[in-house]
């Protein structure tokens, strides 16, 4: 179907709630009361979650739908809240690399996966240091 607010923006907003809830609980536990097993899972999952996020943000077909809505946002008759969600969604896609060429997208994938791995290692090192303190 042609992109509209319901089949594009609403779908993006509601599509990942289960994963968001799971990650919220898991990473809260990993940051506060982590066992070695939880930390091992965290190290394994961090780059996979970055890949998942990249697969959504860097999907050219999905971004073209979001961009099409963004470009005609003034003609869509959106509420103020819907307009804000559309604008934030578009900006998040652009900031996430969706408007880059293929070489730029490949580099963005490398950077975000590396940051996920390094960020996990850093947070685990901080937690280990604080635990022994």
């Amino acid at each position: 179907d042609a992109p509209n607010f319901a089949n594009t923006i609403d779908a993006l907003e509601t599509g990942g709630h289960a994963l968001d809830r799971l990650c919220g609980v898991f990473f809260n536990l990993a940051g506060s009361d982590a066992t070695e097993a939880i930390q091992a899972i965290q190290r394994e999952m961090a780059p996979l979650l970055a890949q998942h996020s990249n697969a959504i943000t860097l999907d050219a077909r999905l971004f073209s739908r979001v961009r099409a809505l963004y470009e005609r946002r003034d003609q869509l008759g959106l509420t103020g809240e819907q307009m804000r969600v559309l604008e934030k969604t578009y900006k998040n896609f652009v900031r996430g690399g969706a408007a880059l060429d293929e070489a730029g997208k490949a580099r963005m994938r490398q950077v975000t996966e590396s940051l996920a791995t390094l960020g996990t290692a850093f947070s685990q090192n901080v937690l280990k240091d604080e635990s022994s303190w």
Side-chain angles (χ1 to χ4, degrees), residues 47-86:
L48 296 176
L49 290 169
Q51 290 171 7
H52 175 71
S53 178
N54 284 335
I56 295 167
T57 304
L58 300 176
D59 185 280
R61 295 170 299 164
L62 182 55
F63 179 58
S64 71
R65 294 175 68 84
V66 172
R67 183 176 43 218
L69 292 172
Y70 180 78
E71 289 172 351
R72 54 188 183 93
R73 64 193 177 278
D74 294 327
Q75 293 95 34
L76 298 175
L78 301 174
T79 66
E81 182 180 82
Q82 289 172 320
M83 183 69 80
R84 178 75 173 134
V85 171
L86 174 58

Side-chain angles (χ1 to χ4, degrees), residues 85-98:
V85 171
L86 174 58
E87 289 171 350
K88 284 190 64 133
T89 300
Y90 177 77
K91 286 178 184 178
N92 287 340
F93 269 81
V94 171
R95 290 174 181 158

Side-chain angles (χ1 to χ4, degrees), residues 9-29 45 49-50 52-53 56-57 92:
I9 304 303
D10 278 344
L12 278 169
E13 285 293 304
T14 60
H17 282 311
L19 181 59
D20 289 342
R21 283 193 309 269
L22 176 69
C23 286
V25 171
F26 177 77
F27 286 107
N28 189 356
L29 180 62
M45 292 306 299
L49 290 169
H52 175 71
S53 178
I56 295 167
T57 304
N92 287 340

